[in-house]
Amino acid sequence: MTTCAEWEEEYLESLAAGSGPSLEVLAHMESCPQCHLLLQKDRQIHDALKEGVRVVPPPAALKSRVLSSIQTSPSAPQLHVMTEGSSPARSSRQLHRGSILIARLAAAAVILLASGISAVNLARSSSVTNAAVALQLPGEPVTYGIVQVHPASGIAYLANASLPAPTPIEGHASEYELWYIPSGGVPIPKGALVEGPDGQWHGAVRYPVQGSGLIAITVEPAPGTMKPTSLPIAAARV
Amino acid sequence: MSEVDVVRSSSMADEHVIEQAPQSGTGELDALAAALRDGQPSAVEGIYDEYGGLVYTIALRFLDSPERAEELVQEVFLAMWERRASFDPMRGTLKSWLCTMVRSRALDMLRADRRRPRPAYSLDSADGDRPAMEIPDPSRASDPAAVVETRAVLSALDILPDDQRETIELMYLAGLSHSELSGVLGIPLGTVKGRVRLAFAKLRQHLGIHLEVES
């Protein structure tokens, strides 16, 4: 190092690293009249920046959405789906009933949308939007969650869904399963809602940015099904 | 069909500044990085706990929109997961990798909508009702003089050119070394050193009277 500028750069780097200046750097800056003036001022500015430049905590719900998006990522190794007949929890009668319900699922979701009470339509929004969505379990009072849709990314998040633990189906564990139903297409399983530490349920659905369709939630035998076996408890158009 | 009114989630504007969480030990971060590379989803939660705030803050700094910053955070962590096999700890830390991703994607978003970057640290918030950064209140501090100094320095950041301000902010926000900054910003190490030195010179010049009085 030959110039005072280079000595100062070394000094500033040592401050940022928290290691303190080397003896060589300190020796120069203490003995050089020009650099000596900078020692204290640079230190003061450094201390103020270290104290003042801080991380802004993200909203608490963001973590659930991030984790849900990972869970439903195409590359996730633990997708909550299975092939027909691979579940010991499902009888052939259930499978038959499930195939019949495929068509009924979309129709029921549309009916939910048409009711205007228990569903939400976000299809006309072009920016990120949040909407309340009603959740209607059979025989239970209506509860609500938040649907956040990112049209540019093709991601819809369900957050803070106030739901009870899913009721077992014929003695077997069940779960809340998400579906994307492209217009004119068959339901595509999109993983399960996960329960957050606050007891609320969260999930994410990726859908084609250029496409249109419905997002729906059904109660299915764990660890999920490839085809719906029950009617939706909520739906949203994206 | 009666559509449900779109409501804004109050959590979106729930913005506070807190003490930076203590950093996990290097061994723990190495374990998280290894678990990520192994494809263990549980690693993502640990990484988010460690760096979620940092990624969000950088996104907010660029985009000046909590909603867009949240969207970007989700994209970055999803990209981290989907590209986990490409992470090479020999080439840099997980923190640097995340900083690079969020910065790169934020710039892409800004280019896409042709908006000029706005500093999240600006004292004059964009919408007038949301300070982008909490400015310490001297009247409630144990060391009012130090708080006054911190306020003055944070205010002075706005006078820096964009490249110098970004370098300084990333350096102190993420605690990145000059070498790491070189990688994240995609500029030579010497340029990083020069930017930091020039930024300090400008801050000294701007704060000269104040610091003389304090000293």
Side-chain angles (χ1 to χ4, degrees):
Chain A
M1 280 177 281
T2 55
T3 67
C4 288
E6 288 172 318
W7 286 111
E8 189 193 2
E9 287 172 0
E10 289 300 314
Y11 176 63
L12 292 173
E13 186 169 9
S14 70
L15 287 180
S19 58
S22 68
L23 289 177
E24 187 184 17
V25 171
L26 205 56
H28 170 81
M29 297 199 71
E30 289 282 6
S31 60
C32 171
Q34 185 181 340
C35 290
H36 185 72
L37 290 173
L38 304 180
L39 265 177
Q40 186 180 5
K41 291 181 179 179
D42 281 353
R43 180 81 206 196
Q44 282 179 277
I45 293 171
H46 163 78
D47 288 344
L49 289 170
K50 196 174 176 185
E51 172 66 22
V53 179
R54 297 179 185 177
V55 165
V56 177
L62 180 57
K63 180 178 176 179
S64 295
R65 294 202 298 274
V66 167
L67 298 181
S68 295
S69 67
I70 301 298
Q71 189 76 13
T72 54
S73 161
S75 63
Q78 298 181 340
L79 281 178
H80 291 263
V81 296
M82 65 180 194
T83 56
E84 263 192 22
S86 65
S87 168
R90 301 183 67 214
S91 67
S92 58
R93 186 173 61 84
Q94 282 178 309
L95 290 175
H96 175 67
R97 181 168 150 252
S99 61
I100 292 174
L101 277 167
I102 291 174
R104 289 177 59 192
L105 175 66
V110 170
I111 292 170
L112 275 174
L113 283 168
S115 75
I117 298 172
S118 56
V120 60
N121 187 342
L122 297 164
R124 295 172 192 166
S125 303
S126 58
S127 58
V128 177
T129 52
N130 300 287
V133 62
L135 306 150
Q136 177 68 75
L137 281 168
E140 299 283 342
V142 174
T143 59
Y144 294 90
I146 296 289
V147 172
Q148 183 183 78
V149 176
H150 297 247
S153 309
I155 303 177
Y157 299 95
L158 175 70
N160 300 329
S162 299
L163 288 167
T167 306
I169 299 173
E170 297 179 6
H172 297 283
S174 61
E175 65 182 22
Y176 296 112
E177 188 161 357
L178 287 158
W179 304 91
Y180 174 65
I181 313 168
S183 296
V186 297
I188 302 168
K190 289 292 182 178
L193 294 183
V194 294
E195 187 176 17
D198 55 357
Q200 307 277 293
W201 294 78
H202 313 275
V205 173
R206 293 182 74 89
Y207 61 92
V209 174
Q210 302 301 329
S212 64
L214 299 172
I215 288 171
I217 303 169
T218 63
V219 180
E220 302 295 344
T225 59
M226 289 298 289
K227 297 175 181 176
T229 66
S230 65
L231 296 175
I233 63 170
R237 190 188 299 279
V238 293
Chain B
M1 180 186 303
S2 61
E3 293 184 15
V4 177
D5 289 338
V6 173
V7 293
R8 302 283 291 178
S9 169
S10 59
S11 65
M12 298 302 162
D14 183 17
E15 197 178 307
H16 309 283
V17 176
I18 59 167
E19 293 287 344
Q20 198 160 356
Q23 298 276 305
S24 297
T26 305
E28 188 178 338
L29 293 175
D30 289 345
L32 283 174
L36 175 71
R37 281 176 57 86
D38 288 346
Q40 298 176 26
S42 59
V44 177
E45 183 169 8
I47 294 168
Y48 182 90
D49 288 343
E50 189 68 26
Y51 297 128
L54 173 63
V55 173
Y56 176 71
T57 307
I58 294 172
L60 194 60
R61 177 215 172 280
F62 275 99
L63 303 173
D64 199 31
S65 158
E67 290 82 6
R68 299 186 81 204
E70 288 182 45
E71 183 180 3
L72 182 52
V73 170
Q74 291 167 193
E75 284 184 21
V76 166
F77 275 89
L78 189 58
M80 176 193 77
W81 172 253
E82 292 178 340
R83 295 174 53 200
R84 59 189 181 276
S86 67
F87 171 64
D88 182 359
M90 300 300 290
R91 295 176 57 192
T93 62
L94 198 52
K95 180 168 64 175
S96 295
W97 194 42
L98 286 168
C99 286
T100 303
M101 280 199 287
V102 67
R103 178 180 181 273
S104 169
R105 285 163 189 263
L107 289 173
D108 286 344
M109 289 172 75
L110 290 170
R111 285 189 199 103
D113 59 17
R114 297 179 182 178
R115 284 180 56 188
R116 192 175 184 280
R118 296 185 63 90
Y121 300 148
S122 170
L123 297 178
D124 302 318
S125 70
D127 54 16
D129 60 1
R130 176 182 56 80
M133 185 171 183
E134 184 178 273
I135 303 301
D137 182 354
S139 66
R140 291 187 290 173
S142 58
D143 185 357
V147 171
V148 168
E149 192 168 290
T150 299
R151 288 172 62 105
V153 172
L154 293 179
S155 303
L157 284 176
D158 282 346
I159 64 142
L160 297 178
D162 286 347
D163 58 349
Q164 292 176 18
R165 188 180 63 233
E166 182 188 14
T167 306
I168 291 291
E169 288 171 352
L170 268 178
M171 186 167 117
Y172 285 95
L173 189 63
L176 296 176
S177 69
H178 287 191
S179 297
E180 289 173 318
L181 281 168
S182 169
V184 170
L185 297 170
I187 56 177
L189 178 60
T191 305
V192 172
K193 292 183 174 186
R195 281 187 187 177
V196 173
R197 179 174 53 79
L198 290 173
F200 268 68
K202 283 193 173 66
L203 291 172
R204 278 199 313 268
Q205 187 179 15
H206 185 78
L207 300 163
I209 296 173
H210 169 75
L211 291 177
E212 288 296 337
V213 171
E214 289 298 314
S215 63

